[in-house]
Amino acid sequence: MTKPSLPQGTRDFGPEVVRKRQYILNTIRTTFELYGFQPLETPAMENLETLMGKYGEEGDKLIFKILNNGLNDAKNIDKAKAAFDNVLLGKNDKNLTERALRYDLTIPFARYVAMNHGQLTFPFKRYQIQPVWRADRPQKGRYREFYQCDADVVGSNGLLNEVELAAIYWQVFSKLGITVEIKINSRKILAALAEACGGSDKMVDITVAIDKLDKIGIDKVKEELLTRGLDEHQVAIIVQYLDISGSNTEKLNKLKELVGSLPAGAKGIEELEFVIGHFATLVLADPAAASPLLVDFTLARGLNYYTGIIFEVKAQGVQMGSIGGGGRYDDLTGLFGVPNIPGVGISFGVDRIYDVLEELKLFPQEVQTGTQVLFFNLGDAESKSAFSLMQSLRNSGIRCELYHEQAKFEKQFKYADKKNIPFAVIIGSKELEAKTCVVKHLGKGEQQEVKWEALEEAVSGL
Amino acid sequence: MTKPSLPQGTRDFGPEVVRKRQYILNTIRTTFELYGFQPLETPAMENLETLMGKYGEEGDKLIFKILNNGLNDAKNIDKAKAAFDNVLLGKNDKNLTERALRYDLTIPFARYVAMNHGQLTFPFKRYQIQPVWRADRPQKGRYREFYQCDADVVGSNGLLNEVELAAIYWQVFSKLGITVEIKINSRKILAALAEACGGSDKMVDITVAIDKLDKIGIDKVKEELLTRGLDEHQVAIIVQYLDISGSNTEKLNKLKELVGSLPAGAKGIEELEFVIGHFATLVLADPAAASPLLVDFTLARGLNYYTGIIFEVKAQGVQMGSIGGGGRYDDLTGLFGVPNIPGVGISFGVDRIYDVLEELKLFPQEVQTGTQVLFFNLGDAESKSAFSLMQSLRNSGIRCELYHEQAKFEKQFKYADKKNIPFAVIIGSKELEAKTCVVKHLGKGEQQEVKWEALEEAVSGL
């Protein structure tokens, strides 16, 4: 018998970890719902054709495909052989794999909207918190199964949606106690920059190079732009763009000089001003208050489908990649034959948020407590009374256990200690007769003897 | 472009359904935690060898296997070809599929306990609520992806665990408003019956036949037993056994006459008496109260690994298979090289519980409400005031939306109606000036004009 093990890149979450993760997810979920977002859940498996071709060539390779069942049935065997030959040529074939595991939450959401758009009420505001799977090479902080946590509004062009999504970021991270910077930019500004540098065909080159600024620095970015065919003058414009600094207002004013005369630039600036302004007056309710929103013209969000405002969230006081990101897109469901559904969405990076909370020691004590009270088991009559008391605490919402068998004090204390249970309630023969119990706060080492009817109060409030 | 679709046997859960499912799962989860059970989550994918051979030949065929990635890489291609030939012969081969999707929650739990038994504190009480996947032929009420919801205590032989698990059933279904019968029996009694009928080698034959009683009736069961090699005298004992009726006490007394002299029979009866007696005194807190526990000697729970007390839960007032089941087993982790870990567990059938609540119209109204308040959008200044009011309601935990753009009354009412939003809050130019709003209860058709500071009270309490 081989020792059991886990597939590479996957994790078990034990009790302490699940409780902490649930704390994060519940905080996000509750906030999504306060803002009118409704939950959606899609299956882990999608038809292979729903997923293929949606994530680029590299993405396609990372999709986990599910082998059809019954391949060795006589009726399937010939087709399966032919299909396998296709797969070895790098093609997909339904006779070998019809289904695959969800790679993100966006494509399943688009598939759902396309399938149900006749029944849905628009704008449709949905959130979705589910695992996704990717056959990436596992490394520190990168897993083959991980949760995504998305909220999107589709079917609305209103910029108040962007204001609300920024408010959700702000509210969630405030509740979690994480100070954040919410970087904001607009793809329209990047488009205007491309135009100022000779044409929209430069957009991809410029975006790719800017995206690397953090990692490789301005000199290497300049080199890359020249290699990609931009001339010295164009590169100079981009350097000027990347150099813009100051407060949000100062930055926007400087940008106006650079691209404000181009329609895309003017529009992008106007949109940023709208979101930042409304966030200050409506969400912060004080235009003079320090805003977590930070205009960052170097923000590009890679080669994805965004077309308007884009966001990225960074935690302060800790070294960590972005813990959230999102933006506006023009067309969610065109790939599935339903055009003209624009939208805007954000997502939270649950694993990184977990690491930030852990590193800054921000998980509240109560999240770290499972069972709150352990009743000792000191004999048949004693444990019967303990059980009855325990049931009444449970009815009041207090999480309790009775030690599973009669045992020495020491053993029962050790159990409470290992399980991090804050209170031990002890009923021996003496206490049984007096209808009292000894309540011991294990963390503080304090103890008191209380009447049975006073027990609930004695263990309330950790 | 083909129309997008879902894989056979899988489901999207839209907002209303997710909310209802969450209501069920949260009720169960909260109760598990009140009883000291701790959450565990395992990955969707397990190594294929962890799963194969654990579910019988039929089960093995229903496991979804994941195709290895990169089969057409030059370095893999020859091995993949050889592996595929093996698969066509009905064998497993790591060079084609290393991983598979979770088929139930028990084997991953056993794998987890075996991998971590050095670090775990026993008794280990875990619950687990996650989807599983089976390549079953889809049919009404049977899906290829569905949730399981299990709680187990391992590392304890104490029968108080059984009492607590029965209490969990009772408490969960009471909270959900479902009246249930919790059928209870012991595998030891079935073992004693087999002994009384000529030997323990008859156990499987007897169990299989008894399990069919509901479906085929007593005459066919007799036939089957004769076919399976039992003689007339032995069949007569079984018929006598199946005929036992009356109250729990009467049934147990009659059973004593039949198998009480056999050690397994005596032990099984003693255990049933313990669980039923302690449930009455400790959980119901009134030995004279009607108990949901119902001794049912025809309960066998199929050909699984149970060895002691077994449970099965039936909803009253509705035609539906069992909505829960479980029991005691001797050896959770032996298959993974860690012997002597006994346990007892129960599970809830979430899909069926959903159907019962739907059929009996037991979902509470609040579960059916997403957004509670829709603020109308009647212009720029009006909507700014609406937004500020909305933020303060959100801060008080009330779920709100502002209609996404300025639009006609009718359109905004229609949106609220379709989304089942109970309150509309209307601020027009007149209300803006007077710092009031019109609050309309859409279900009741009532409306009132209130000062801004009185809004929260006006929309509190649905």
Side-chain angles (χ1 to χ4, degrees):
Chain A
M1 183 161 23
T2 52
K3 266 194 150 177
S5 64
L6 272 177
Q8 253 203 318
T10 68
R11 298 166 286 177
D12 285 324
F13 296 126
E16 296 76 20
V17 179
V18 175
R19 273 199 298 270
K20 289 175 176 175
R21 289 173 58 88
Q22 287 295 344
Y23 163 69
I24 298 171
L25 297 179
N26 286 338
T27 303
I28 299 172
R29 191 194 320 271
T30 307
T31 311
F32 284 160
E33 293 189 350
L34 284 176
Y35 280 76
F37 288 80
Q38 308 293 316
L40 173 70
E41 289 177 16
T42 64
M45 299 190 280
E46 292 280 352
N47 288 323
L48 189 56
E49 63 198 13
T50 299
L51 304 187
M52 295 308 291
K54 308 302 192 297
Y55 305 106
E57 212 178 306
E58 281 310 299
D60 278 0
K61 283 189 193 156
L62 302 182
I63 290 173
F64 280 114
K65 292 166 196 155
I66 295 164
L67 200 65
N68 292 357
N69 290 70
L71 289 179
N72 59 330
D73 288 358
K75 68 176 184 338
N76 296 332
I77 212 156
D78 289 334
K79 282 189 209 157
K81 279 182 182 166
F84 188 65
D85 290 338
N86 276 328
V87 168
L88 290 186
L89 294 171
K91 296 180 198 158
N92 293 305
D93 194 309
K94 277 187 151 185
N95 289 317
L96 194 77
T97 57
E98 271 182 71
R99 289 162 295 246
L101 291 181
R102 189 168 53 213
Y103 178 88
D104 73 356
L105 302 180
T106 305
I107 292 297
F109 173 50
R111 195 261 312 137
Y112 174 82
V113 172
M115 276 175 71
N116 298 283
H117 73 282
Q119 287 79 55
L120 295 176
T121 309
F122 290 98
F124 181 57
K125 301 171 82 172
R126 87 85 173 80
Y127 74 87
Q128 193 168 350
I129 302 177
Q130 292 192 282
V132 301
W133 296 269
R134 297 183 182 180
D136 251 322
R137 189 179 297 277
Q139 57 185 63
K140 192 177 175 321
R142 186 188 287 166
Y143 303 100
R144 288 183 162 174
E145 173 180 74
F146 59 97
Y147 267 68
Q148 286 193 339
C149 180
D150 290 9
D152 290 78
V153 194
V154 295
S156 168
N157 287 308
L159 282 169
L160 279 180
N161 294 307
E162 274 85 338
V163 176
E164 293 208 290
L165 291 170
I168 289 175
Y169 270 141
W170 185 63
Q171 200 154 342
V172 165
F173 289 117
S174 301
K175 283 185 198 165
L176 294 175
I178 302 177
T179 307
V180 292
E181 221 165 52
I182 305 169
K183 295 181 187 177
I184 183 169
N185 194 12
S186 169
R187 279 297 186 102
K188 293 194 174 111
I189 288 168
L190 290 163
L193 179 67
E195 222 181 309
C197 293
S200 59
D201 58 313
K202 298 282 191 301
M203 178 84 175
V204 169
D205 294 320
I206 295 173
T207 309
V208 168
I210 288 183
D211 235 11
K212 294 185 186 164
L213 181 64
D214 266 1
K215 280 183 203 132
I216 64 177
I218 187 72
D219 290 337
K220 294 266 176 198
V221 167
K222 277 156 81 174
E223 253 175 54
E224 171 141 2
L225 288 167
L226 290 168
T227 319
R228 284 175 175 267
L230 280 84
D231 65 28
E232 292 283 354
H233 171 66
Q234 293 163 346
V235 172
I237 295 176
I238 293 168
V239 170
Q240 216 183 325
Y241 172 88
L242 295 175
D243 257 359
I244 292 176
S245 65
S247 68
N248 286 342
T249 313
E250 287 162 358
K251 282 182 188 164
L252 286 165
N253 286 338
K254 286 180 196 163
L255 187 71
K256 276 177 199 165
E257 292 165 27
L258 206 61
V259 299
S261 59
L262 298 166
K267 189 78 188 150
I269 292 166
E270 185 192 322
E271 290 181 1
L272 281 179
E273 286 176 337
F274 181 96
V275 173
I276 292 166
H278 281 73
F279 187 88
T281 51
L282 301 178
V283 180
L284 298 177
D286 176 5
S291 175
L293 285 180
L294 187 83
V295 170
D296 182 349
F297 295 131
T298 72
L299 180 65
R301 300 279 307 146
L303 280 177
N304 39 38
Y305 49 93
Y306 296 123
T307 52
I309 295 281
I310 47 179
F311 294 112
E312 203 164 279
V313 185
K314 287 274 293 180
Q316 305 290 86
V318 60
Q319 285 287 4
M320 185 78 64
S322 68
I323 55 177
R328 178 168 283 281
Y329 42 87
D330 274 343
D331 177 18
L332 179 73
T333 50
L335 283 166
F336 296 112
V338 180
N340 302 325
I341 300 191
V344 55
I346 55 171
S347 74
F348 286 85
V350 179
D351 284 304
R352 283 187 178 166
I353 294 172
Y354 186 100
D355 291 343
V356 170
L357 291 173
E358 202 65 286
E359 192 172 330
L360 300 178
K361 299 199 193 322
L362 289 172
F363 282 112
Q365 187 54 44
E366 74 212 46
V367 171
Q368 301 177 47
T369 307
T371 298
Q372 297 160 286
V373 179
L374 178 70
F375 284 84
F376 275 35
N377 189 330
L378 300 170
D380 200 42
E382 290 86 348
S383 68
K384 276 189 179 172
S385 293
F387 200 110
S388 298
L389 283 169
M390 176 168 71
Q391 287 304 100
S392 68
L393 290 195
R394 283 172 175 166
N395 287 336
S396 302
I398 298 167
R399 300 184 296 276
C400 308
E401 286 180 57
L402 169 66
Y403 193 72
H404 70 119
E405 62 188 9
Q406 198 175 333
K408 284 187 182 159
F409 266 72
E410 203 184 284
K411 199 169 174 189
Q412 304 194 42
F413 272 123
K414 204 167 160 189
Y415 178 81
D417 183 51
K418 275 195 178 170
K419 290 196 66 179
N420 235 334
I421 301 174
F423 286 104
V425 172
I426 302 161
I427 302 176
S429 55
K430 196 171 71 72
E431 289 81 13
L432 182 62
E433 207 169 313
K435 301 201 182 217
T436 62
C437 46
V438 173
V439 179
K440 204 165 170 128
H441 192 298
L442 296 172
K444 298 185 189 157
E446 293 163 3
Q447 71 174 55
Q448 56 174 321
E449 190 171 344
V450 301
K451 287 268 170 203
W452 286 354
E453 55 272 25
L455 175 60
E456 186 176 332
E457 211 197 313
V459 298
S460 292
L462 301 180
Chain B
M1 184 161 24
T2 53
K3 265 193 149 178
S5 65
L6 272 177
Q8 254 202 317
T10 69
R11 297 166 287 176
D12 285 323
F13 296 126
E16 297 75 21
V17 179
V18 175
R19 275 198 297 272
K20 289 175 175 174
R21 289 173 59 88
Q22 286 296 345
Y23 163 70
I24 297 170
L25 297 179
N26 287 339
T27 304
I28 298 172
R29 190 193 322 270
T30 307
T31 311
F32 283 160
E33 293 190 350
L34 285 175
Y35 280 77
F37 288 80
Q38 308 294 316
L40 173 70
E41 290 178 13
T42 64
M45 298 190 281
E46 293 279 351
N47 288 322
L48 190 57
E49 63 197 14
T50 300
L51 304 186
M52 294 309 290
K54 308 301 192 298
Y55 305 106
E57 211 177 307
E58 281 311 300
D60 279 0
K61 285 189 193 158
L62 303 183
I63 291 174
F64 279 114
K65 292 165 196 157
I66 294 165
L67 200 65
N68 293 358
N69 288 69
L71 289 178
N72 58 331
D73 288 359
K75 68 178 187 333
N76 296 331
I77 211 157
D78 288 335
K79 281 190 208 157
K81 278 183 183 165
F84 188 64
D85 289 340
N86 275 330
V87 168
L88 291 186
L89 294 170
K91 296 179 198 160
N92 293 305
D93 194 310
K94 277 187 153 188
N95 289 317
L96 194 76
T97 56
E98 272 184 69
R99 290 164 293 247
L101 292 180
R102 188 167 56 211
Y103 179 88
D104 72 356
L105 302 180
T106 305
I107 292 298
F109 174 49
R111 194 260 313 139
Y112 175 82
V113 171
M115 276 176 69
N116 298 283
H117 73 283
Q119 287 77 54
L120 296 175
T121 309
F122 289 98
F124 181 58
K125 300 171 82 172
R126 88 83 173 81
Y127 74 87
Q128 194 168 352
I129 302 178
Q130 292 191 283
V132 302
W133 296 270
R134 296 183 182 180
D136 250 322
R137 188 179 297 275
Q139 56 186 62
K140 193 181 174 319
R142 186 189 286 167
Y143 302 100
R144 288 182 162 176
E145 172 179 76
F146 58 97
Y147 268 69
Q148 286 193 338
C149 180
D150 290 9
D152 290 80
V153 193
V154 296
S156 167
N157 288 307
L159 282 169
L160 279 180
N161 294 308
E162 275 85 337
V163 176
E164 291 208 291
L165 291 171
I168 288 175
Y169 270 141
W170 185 63
Q171 200 153 339
V172 165
F173 289 117
S174 301
K175 283 183 197 166
L176 294 176
I178 302 176
T179 308
V180 293
E181 223 165 50
I182 306 170
K183 296 181 185 177
I184 184 170
N185 194 13
S186 168
R187 279 297 186 103
K188 294 194 173 111
I189 287 167
L190 290 163
L193 179 67
E195 220 182 312
C197 294
S200 60
D201 58 314
K202 297 283 192 299
M203 178 82 173
V204 170
D205 293 322
I206 294 173
T207 309
V208 168
I210 287 183
D211 237 10
K212 296 184 186 167
L213 181 64
D214 266 1
K215 280 183 203 133
I216 63 176
I218 187 73
D219 290 337
K220 294 268 177 194
V221 168
K222 278 156 79 172
E223 254 174 55
E224 170 141 4
L225 288 166
L226 291 168
T227 320
R228 283 175 174 268
L230 280 84
D231 65 27
E232 291 283 354
H233 171 67
Q234 292 163 346
V235 172
I237 294 175
I238 292 166
V239 170
Q240 218 184 325
Y241 172 87
L242 295 175
D243 257 0
I244 291 176
S245 65
S247 68
N248 285 342
T249 315
E250 285 163 357
K251 283 181 187 165
L252 286 164
N253 286 338
K254 285 180 195 164
L255 186 72
K256 277 177 198 163
E257 291 166 27
L258 207 60
V259 299
S261 58
L262 298 165
K267 189 77 188 151
I269 291 166
E270 186 192 319
E271 291 181 0
L272 281 180
E273 285 176 338
F274 181 96
V275 173
I276 292 165
H278 281 72
F279 187 88
T281 52
L282 301 178
V283 180
L284 299 177
D286 175 5
S291 175
L293 286 179
L294 186 83
V295 170
D296 182 348
F297 296 131
T298 71
L299 180 65
R301 299 280 306 149
L303 279 177
N304 39 36
Y305 49 93
Y306 296 123
T307 53
I309 295 282
I310 48 178
F311 294 112
E312 203 164 280
V313 184
K314 288 274 292 179
Q316 306 289 85
V318 60
Q319 285 287 3
M320 186 76 65
S322 69
I323 54 176
R328 179 168 281 281
Y329 42 87
D330 275 341
D331 177 18
L332 179 73
T333 50
L335 283 167
F336 295 112
V338 181
N340 301 325
I341 300 192
V344 55
I346 55 172
S347 74
F348 286 83
V350 178
D351 284 305
R352 283 184 178 168
I353 293 171
Y354 185 99
D355 291 343
V356 171
L357 291 173
E358 202 63 285
E359 192 172 329
L360 300 178
K361 299 197 193 324
L362 289 172
F363 282 111
Q365 186 55 44
E366 74 214 45
V367 171
Q368 301 177 47
T369 306
T371 298
Q372 295 161 287
V373 180
L374 178 70
F375 285 83
F376 275 35
N377 189 330
L378 300 171
D380 200 41
E382 291 85 349
S383 69
K384 275 191 179 170
S385 294
F387 201 110
S388 299
L389 283 170
M390 176 169 72
Q391 287 304 99
S392 69
L393 291 194
R394 283 172 175 166
N395 287 336
S396 303
I398 298 168
R399 301 184 295 278
C400 308
E401 286 180 57
L402 170 67
Y403 193 72
H404 69 121
E405 61 187 9
Q406 197 176 334
K408 285 188 182 158
F409 266 73
E410 204 184 285
K411 201 170 173 189
Q412 304 194 42
F413 272 123
K414 205 168 161 189
Y415 179 80
D417 183 52
K418 275 195 179 169
K419 290 194 67 178
N420 235 334
I421 300 175
F423 287 103
V425 173
I426 301 161
I427 302 177
S429 54
K430 196 172 69 75
E431 290 83 12
L432 182 62
E433 203 167 316
K435 302 202 178 212
T436 61
C437 46
V438 173
V439 178
K440 203 164 170 128
H441 192 299
L442 297 172
K444 297 185 188 156
E446 294 163 3
Q447 71 173 56
Q448 55 173 324
E449 190 172 343
V450 301
K451 286 265 169 205
W452 287 354
E453 55 272 24
L455 175 60
E456 185 176 333
E457 210 197 315
V459 299
S460 292
L462 302 181

